Amino acid sequence: MTTVPDDPVEILRVLPEKYHEQFLTEYHEAAAEAARQVGGYRRLQQVLRLWRLSAVAYSDPGYEGRLEAVREAVRTGSTERSTPIEDVVPDWPHRR
């Protein structure tokens, strides 16, 4: 059996359980909008794509630790172990 990349069943399979309720709420809202309006289908696609990518990130074993480290850095104002935006986005000065 092949899976569709943004298949809600696959997203739920990968997504940690603590995020299921939020995903299902957003999915049902987007699906209802898609059923009411032709343009709503794009919103449903966007919701599924975002949740698929989120599921991959949230299910990574190191995710919670990295998230907590970022929260702590923001709380304390620390830039230790951070990467300048210019190193991540090469044309950053031109985007500003």
Side-chain angles (χ1 to χ4, degrees), residues 2-69:
T2 60
T3 60
V4 177
D6 297 332
D7 179 348
V9 173
E10 183 64 14
I11 291 168
L12 277 173
R13 186 187 70 73
V14 174
L15 191 65
E17 190 172 338
K18 72 180 190 175
Y19 298 103
H20 284 197
E21 184 178 342
Q22 183 181 352
F23 166 71
L24 289 171
T25 298
E26 292 181 28
Y27 171 71
H28 289 133
E29 289 172 0
E33 182 181 330
R36 285 192 305 274
Q37 304 173 21
V38 174
Y41 184 68
R42 281 198 177 91
R43 175 72 181 126
L44 177 58
Q45 289 176 312
Q46 291 170 342
V47 165
L48 290 171
R49 175 69 41 87
L50 179 61
W51 274 104
R52 178 177 59 86
L53 296 172
S54 297
V56 170
Y58 296 160
S59 64
D60 183 278
Y63 173 78
E64 291 293 332
R66 288 190 308 275
L67 179 61
E68 187 52 41

